[in-house]
Amino acid sequence: MNDSAEYHIVTSNNVQNPSIPSQSKEVPLQKPLQNGRGKRRHRGRRKSVRSNIYPPSDARICSTEAPIIRSTGFLVPDVPTSNESCVVSMEVGPSASGKALRFPARPGYGQAGVKCLVKANHFFAELLEKDLNHYDVTVTPVVASKSVNRAIMAELVKLYRESDLGMRLPAYDGRKSLYTAGVFPFTSKEFIVKLVAEENGIHGPKREREFKVTLKFIARANLHHLTEFLAGRRAEAPQEALQVLDIVLRELSAQRWDFFKSEYCAVGRSFYSPDIGRPQRLGEGLESWCGFYQSIRPTQMGLSLNIDMSSTAFIEPLPVIEFVAQILNKDVLSRPLSDTDRVKVKKALRGVKVEVTHRGNVRRKYRISGLTSQPTRELMFPVDDKCTMKSVVEYFLEMYGFIIQHSHLPCLEVGNQKKANYLPMEACKIVEGQRYTKRLNGKQITALLKVTCERPKDREMNILQTVYHNAYDQDPYAQEFGIKISEKLASVEARILPAPWLKYHETGKEKDCLPHIGQWNMMNKKMINGSKVSHWACINFSRGVQESVASTFCNELAQMCQVSGMEFNPESVIPIYSARPEQVEKALKHVYNASMCKLKGKELELLVAILPDNNGSLYGDLKRICETDLGLISQCCLTKHVFKISKQYLANVSLKINVKMGGRNTVLLDAISWRIPLVSDIPTIIFGADVTHPETGEDSSPSIAAVVASQDWPEVTQYAGLVCAQAHRQELIQDLYKTWHDPVRGTVSGGMIRDLLISFRKATGQKPLRIIFYRDGVSEGQFYQVLLFELDAIRKVNMGAHFAFELALSWIQKSVILLSSISTCAVMLGYRYARCTRSVSVVPPAYYAHLAAFRARFYMEPDVPENGSPGDCSSVSTRNGCSLGVRPLPALKENVKKVMFYC
């Protein structure tokens, strides 16, 4: 396609596991969607394109681990996937119009690297030209559940397809939209559908519900426009046509779960099943289900179906008592629950659906609303209008002949909360197929990663098996809409880009290094700029670590820092201090004050903290207190690493300490030789931005926006970061540019971009003449909205009356040479991640922004007062949310915000 924008597939591993090596392949595969008018259907960090690349047997294999290939945009015209970053490059020149964006056509392909052929998990689709028709669906009474809506529509189609529907087989999104290939013999019509509701009450048989369904014609989506777009003769992708095709190909999989509860459970664009691989226990009542992701995509090689394997956590269908025992990690059959245990169990069970097991074949289902404060043996309830009281134990014995064995445990509260209904735990089992939407702990994440890690050949086989099982050639909906899906993986030309040389200190035995398969080590090397740590202390929160063990660990860590090139004092300011986790604030202030007293005016520079392996909120509390209250840089180490002292672990920790203290671990040889494309020729600042949202179920917690920017040039290794709390699930970064009224100065402008530009100038003595901006975490539906809003914020910073720099914006030139420069620059940055000696698949600025946003969530406290003055947040690194109802983040201490504290 001549007018397509450059889009790359870059091999990568999981963003949360940078220890897995990766090497870059650049694949011109994806033609991005170019219509931003569609609504965002999924919040958070939804994956839009998940592409895995499989080298054939004679190709150069660049990784021994299972690569997870993600689509990454390196040029403004690209629409990136939601879990990756896009880059905007701006240079001094004529101002671009802020009223509209017109993306340049792709001038060709990059030429750098070694060419090879790879297989991608895309399956080409053939499409017959048919008119797609959109009908509005109104269900009365209103139904919130998509599965119930689907059941209603399935019954309607079953009853009326051969008559009123003119033999059409429609595809339904479960909400308001119904699509057909061809028209119904009406423009608007009402139908009556009767549906047997799932039994979910306390009394009575299953009941029949009647619904009125109104179908009304809205519009026609012509597939000819999609054909023209794929051929390069149309500028914008017909968004609705693509949406229809996506719904059509998902319809059968969605019905398999909704109707039979035996195959697929739909989650976003993915489907999961206990039959796709064996569920693996994750601990604390959870298990992993395997599944697949599916999405129809317009690419430069034609229309294709993107299939990828995925896994997520489900609640294990256990007897409730066994689930509670796993949650508490102890025997619950012999003693009552403590108040703390009861609160933890109540939080874990609220909203979970259970089925009774004490009534033989009658397996009625209920949703848990709470947990009784009393044990079962003490519970009484009225059985008639005269308030005759009966115990739960007596009722179950008389009514069902069921003897409650564990009456010391509380009962489950189910049904209507106004009228309590009690179920003994031992009479209930958790219903299968309930996705777990809360945050996983460290052990669960590790267990889930083990499940998802696959070698390329195994992943290829599983994807092909999924395509075979889904049998798209026999799918009645695909046949109805004229869609044919290939059963072969797409073959794509790719280029393996070379790794850059890394420069270390001249005093080391190895002064430079060429990474191999995306990895290297610190043996015989010294940090290019080792920092100095003269005053440090250690605090031990782990009861299992004796003082002698902690002392040995600290000595080994100090020696590793010295060997790696840091000036690290082997003696701590005060002896190692041991404390209980629940006294974290008191203990930290004691260590700080005792150290400051001994130092007599000098600053405590570093705190080494030993934490239990399972430390709950301790880590977050420690970081919040150190970084926003005491002004301490801290390095946390888990107990398991203290006992098993590994040289590799100590080397990685020393890398983190060095950058936290303001040092550099290594620099690109091309950086000091002024050869990094798009960076070395003129003073350039590189931004990274990300927004993290609260986990599912948190309806009021703010979203956290983070922006980082390079503070050294031409090395681009050190990044300062700013964070800001903003409205719940707000993706647009509100604090990039803002204005407020000051009583003395009048209208004042500022924001994250301005502060970081000023910081760059102070650090380098240079005005940045080019901005490269990597934006992570944007869904496809919100891409254009975010682009226009945030690009406009950068323009406003430039135009502000109080801003000293003159930055005008122009799009990157239309040059084939520049395409290689963009990808080469991104690959070079991937070798500059400070936390390990391996390349990473996400450019470090975007990675650092994610880390900073994640860290800032620890800073939120429920007792922080509301802030009504947006001007108060103009000069601090943790920035207050300026929207009403958003609580501010506490400010980072000055010595903390100058360094990469989030590493």
Side-chain angles (χ1 to χ4, degrees):
M1 295 179 59
N2 296 327
D3 69 339
S4 60
E6 174 157 20
Y7 214 69
H8 304 282
I9 302 296
V10 178
T11 61
S12 69
N13 294 286
N14 193 295
V15 71
Q16 295 181 345
N17 187 13
S19 61
I20 301 177
S22 66
Q23 183 156 340
S24 297
K25 283 183 184 158
E26 185 185 72
V27 184
L29 173 68
Q30 179 64 37
K31 166 69 184 183
L33 298 181
Q34 306 238 343
N35 187 345
R37 292 174 294 183
K39 293 183 179 179
R40 182 181 184 184
R41 296 192 299 273
H42 306 294
R43 295 184 180 271
R45 306 168 65 85
R46 178 72 60 200
K47 295 181 179 179
S48 302
V49 183
R50 299 160 56 139
S51 302
N52 296 319
I53 304 300
Y54 308 100
S57 58
D58 59 344
R60 294 180 58 181
I61 299 177
C62 62
S63 175
T64 58
E65 300 292 340
I68 299 175
I69 315 305
R70 297 191 180 96
S71 303
T72 305
F74 290 112
L75 191 60
V76 173
D78 297 1
V79 174
T81 62
S82 59
N83 64 319
E84 291 296 339
S85 49
C86 64
V87 58
V88 179
S89 179
M90 294 166 282
E91 299 181 20
V92 170
S95 296
S97 170
K99 296 181 180 179
L101 292 176
R102 184 168 183 81
F103 295 146
R106 178 174 184 162
Y109 297 100
Q111 300 298 320
V114 178
K115 293 184 179 181
C116 66
L117 191 67
V118 297
K119 289 184 283 185
N121 56 325
H122 282 251
F123 298 83
F124 291 124
E126 295 180 12
L127 193 61
L128 299 179
E129 269 198 26
K130 290 190 176 183
D131 285 339
L132 304 182
N133 298 278
H134 182 190
Y135 291 82
D136 176 74
V137 179
T138 302
V139 178
T140 308
V142 176
V143 176
S145 169
K146 290 182 71 173
S147 61
V148 174
N149 277 332
R150 288 184 183 280
I152 294 170
M153 188 57 65
E155 185 67 15
L156 187 153
V157 172
K158 177 182 176 182
L159 294 174
Y160 299 105
R161 183 186 179 190
E162 295 183 358
S163 54
D164 298 67
L165 301 185
M167 290 303 294
R168 300 295 181 196
L169 183 62
Y172 181 43
D173 71 350
R175 294 296 187 198
K176 291 284 291 178
S177 295
L178 187 81
Y179 299 97
T180 62
V183 296
F184 286 141
F186 56 81
T187 56
S188 181
K189 192 176 183 65
E190 292 183 357
F191 298 87
I192 299 297
V193 175
K194 294 181 179 180
L195 194 68
V196 177
E198 180 182 346
E199 187 178 358
N200 197 32
I202 300 300
H203 305 290
K206 294 184 178 181
R207 58 194 178 93
E208 186 178 74
R209 298 181 64 189
E210 184 174 286
F211 299 91
K212 182 175 73 173
V213 182
T214 303
L215 303 182
K216 183 179 180 181
F217 176 80
I218 296 179
R220 180 173 290 110
N222 196 327
L223 287 182
H224 176 71
H225 294 160
L226 178 58
T227 304
E228 292 291 293
F229 172 73
L230 292 171
R233 294 187 292 268
R234 183 180 174 89
E236 293 185 354
Q239 184 76 5
E240 186 177 14
L242 292 169
Q243 182 180 345
V244 175
L245 299 179
D246 219 21
I247 292 171
V248 168
L249 290 176
R250 291 165 48 81
E251 180 72 18
L252 189 60
S253 296
Q255 287 188 10
R256 282 169 174 166
W257 178 262
D258 288 335
F259 300 155
F260 306 115
K261 296 291 190 292
S262 60
E263 286 204 56
Y264 297 146
C265 176
V267 179
R269 288 184 172 178
S270 298
F271 295 92
Y272 298 95
S273 170
D275 299 325
I276 303 178
R278 190 162 57 96
Q280 301 292 320
R281 283 196 166 184
L282 303 179
E284 297 190 18
L286 302 184
E287 64 181 8
S288 67
W289 280 21
C290 294
F292 65 94
Y293 165 95
Q294 172 181 294
S295 178
I296 196 77
R297 311 298 306 176
T299 77
Q300 295 170 10
M301 299 174 69
L303 200 65
S304 78
L305 184 66
N306 178 215
I307 299 284
D308 194 13
M309 307 308 297
S310 61
S311 295
T312 194
F314 280 76
I315 301 173
E316 194 172 357
L318 298 170
V320 170
I321 286 185
E322 186 177 341
F323 178 84
V324 171
Q326 287 199 28
I327 288 292
L328 301 177
N329 194 28
K330 66 181 181 181
D331 177 31
V332 297
L333 299 180
S334 57
R335 63 181 64 183
L337 302 183
S338 66
D339 289 341
T340 302
D341 289 342
R342 195 184 68 83
V343 170
K344 185 174 183 180
V345 171
K346 181 179 179 180
K347 183 178 179 181
L349 286 175
R350 182 182 288 135
V352 174
K353 187 178 287 188
V354 295
E355 60 183 7
V356 296
T357 59
H358 65 287
R359 298 180 59 185
N361 293 329
V362 179
R363 312 284 285 197
R364 299 181 67 174
K365 296 179 176 63
Y366 307 89
R367 193 173 297 278
I368 300 172
S369 58
L371 205 63
T372 61
S373 57
Q374 298 170 285
T376 303
R377 59 183 172 229
E378 298 177 12
L379 288 174
M380 306 284 289
F381 68 97
V383 294
D384 54 34
D385 295 338
K386 299 179 181 179
C387 291
T388 304
M389 304 301 289
K390 180 172 289 189
S391 73
V392 171
V393 174
E394 291 175 335
Y395 176 82
F396 272 82
L397 180 61
E398 295 173 5
M399 192 71 177
Y400 306 111
F402 183 78
I403 300 175
I404 298 177
Q405 302 288 339
H406 308 292
S407 60
H408 62 284
L409 295 174
C411 270
L412 305 177
E413 294 179 347
V414 299
N416 194 330
Q417 293 191 25
K418 294 182 179 179
K419 181 182 179 182
N421 296 288
Y422 304 134
L423 288 176
M425 285 187 179
E426 61 198 84
C428 298
K429 180 184 178 182
I430 293 174
V431 175
E432 185 184 49
Q434 299 179 76
R435 185 190 173 215
Y436 185 76
T437 58
K438 300 176 183 177
R439 183 177 300 164
L440 301 179
N441 61 36
K443 286 188 175 181
Q444 291 168 336
I445 290 174
T446 300
L448 187 60
L449 287 175
K450 289 181 179 179
V451 174
T452 59
C453 184
E454 291 180 305
R455 293 186 178 277
K457 197 66 180 177
D458 296 332
R459 201 177 191 91
E460 176 185 359
M461 181 183 68
N462 289 334
I463 289 173
L464 289 172
Q465 286 180 347
T466 298
V467 173
Y468 175 79
H469 177 77
N470 288 347
Y472 297 104
D473 59 329
Q474 302 174 26
D475 187 333
Y477 293 92
Q479 293 174 354
E480 174 81 5
F481 286 79
I483 305 172
K484 294 183 179 180
I485 305 297
S486 171
E487 295 183 351
K488 296 181 179 180
L489 291 162
S491 294
V492 185
E493 292 183 354
R495 292 177 289 119
I496 302 175
L497 302 180
W501 282 87
L502 304 177
K503 178 65 179 174
Y504 284 91
H505 200 274
E506 291 293 329
T507 59
K509 291 183 180 179
E510 294 185 20
K511 300 173 179 58
D512 46 39
C513 168
L514 180 64
H516 178 63
I517 316 181
Q519 59 183 325
W520 64 102
N521 57 55
M522 286 295 294
M523 290 180 60
N524 301 321
K525 305 176 187 68
K526 290 187 181 294
M527 299 160 177
I528 188 74
N529 297 118
S531 58
K532 182 178 181 180
V533 179
S534 301
H535 313 301
W536 62 279
C538 176
I539 187 168
N540 177 20
F541 287 105
S542 180
R543 295 179 182 178
V545 177
Q546 298 178 348
E547 184 176 349
S548 60
V549 176
S551 179
T552 300
F553 174 80
C554 288
N555 290 337
E556 292 286 339
L557 179 58
Q559 290 179 23
M560 179 58 72
C561 289
Q562 292 170 347
V563 170
S564 300
M566 294 176 61
E567 293 184 43
F568 201 101
N569 186 349
E571 298 295 330
S572 59
V573 175
I574 61 173
I576 295 173
Y577 183 78
S578 296
R580 296 198 299 270
E582 58 269 21
Q583 295 182 336
V584 55
E585 185 168 7
K586 180 181 177 181
L588 289 173
K589 290 184 176 179
H590 170 80
V591 169
Y592 178 79
N593 292 329
S595 300
M596 295 297 288
C597 181
K598 189 169 182 180
L599 290 171
K600 297 180 180 179
K602 297 180 181 178
E603 292 292 328
L604 182 63
E605 299 164 338
L606 175 68
L607 178 70
V608 177
I610 299 174
L611 308 185
D613 293 335
N614 296 316
N615 52 74
S617 64
L618 176 59
Y619 176 85
D621 291 340
L622 184 146
K623 292 296 182 181
R624 172 179 52 82
I625 296 167
C626 285
E627 293 162 4
T628 67
D629 186 7
L630 301 178
L632 268 178
I633 299 298
S634 59
Q635 176 59 52
C636 295
C637 304
L638 295 178
T639 297
K640 61 183 179 182
H641 297 305
V642 173
F643 279 114
K644 185 181 178 181
I645 300 178
S646 161
K647 294 294 185 183
Q648 182 62 54
Y649 172 76
L650 293 176
N652 284 341
V653 172
S654 68
L655 295 177
K656 296 176 67 175
I657 291 176
N658 187 50
V659 295
K660 288 179 181 180
M661 299 304 298
R664 293 189 186 95
N665 296 332
T666 184
V667 296
L668 296 169
L669 194 60
D670 285 331
I672 58 179
S673 302
W674 304 88
R675 294 198 303 262
I676 300 181
L678 299 178
V679 174
S680 298
D681 55 337
I682 58 175
T684 301
I685 183 171
I686 301 180
F687 283 85
D690 191 18
V691 178
T692 63
H693 301 292
E695 60 186 58
T696 304
E698 293 186 17
D699 297 329
S700 59
S701 298
S703 294
I704 303 294
V707 181
V708 303
S710 58
Q711 300 295 292
D712 53 347
W713 178 79
E715 296 90 349
V716 290
T717 60
Q718 297 173 317
Y719 290 80
L722 302 176
V723 292
C724 176
Q726 56 188 41
H728 179 72
R729 293 206 171 274
Q730 171 61 260
E731 183 62 41
L732 306 177
I733 302 179
Q734 302 296 303
D735 210 16
L736 287 181
Y737 173 82
K738 62 176 186 175
T739 60
W740 65 95
H741 180 75
D742 183 90
V744 178
R745 297 179 292 169
T747 301
V748 180
S749 64
M752 291 174 156
I753 297 295
R754 182 181 186 275
D755 289 354
L756 289 168
L757 288 172
I758 292 173
S759 178
F760 177 90
R761 184 179 183 183
K762 289 180 179 179
T764 65
Q766 299 276 356
K767 293 182 181 180
L769 300 180
R770 179 185 292 129
I771 293 176
I772 297 178
F773 198 104
Y774 287 94
R775 179 61 159 94
D776 198 11
V778 183
S779 72
E780 191 171 287
Q782 277 200 318
F783 175 76
Y784 282 86
Q785 182 185 5
V786 171
L787 176 61
L788 292 172
F789 179 87
E790 297 181 0
L791 187 57
D792 184 59
I794 299 175
R795 287 195 178 104
K796 287 178 179 177
V797 172
N798 174 48
M799 294 184 293
H802 302 290
F803 193 59
F805 308 129
E806 293 184 1
L807 283 176
L809 311 179
S810 64
W811 297 115
I812 294 176
Q813 302 164 3
K814 305 176 185 179
S815 167
V816 175
I817 297 175
L818 196 59
L819 298 182
S820 291
S821 298
I822 294 168
S823 53
T824 300
C825 175
V827 168
M828 286 184 170
L829 291 176
Y831 285 83
R832 286 301 306 112
Y833 186 58
R835 287 163 43 116
C836 61
T837 54
R838 298 173 188 248
S839 62
V840 290
S841 59
V842 176
V843 286
Y847 213 145
Y848 294 150
H850 175 76
L851 293 174
F854 187 79
R855 172 67 60 81
R857 197 160 291 280
F858 292 132
Y859 300 160
M860 295 187 300
E861 290 185 289
D863 57 347
V864 175
E866 297 287 340
N867 176 41
S869 174
D872 293 342
C873 65
S874 61
S875 61
V876 294
S877 188
T878 49
R879 311 178 65 86
N880 297 339
C882 299
S883 302
L884 293 177
V886 178
R887 296 187 176 184
L889 297 175
L892 288 174
K893 293 299 181 180
E894 288 296 322
N895 63 313
V896 175
K897 67 182 182 181
K898 293 178 181 178
V899 296
M900 298 169 67
F901 64 92
Y902 45 81
C903 279

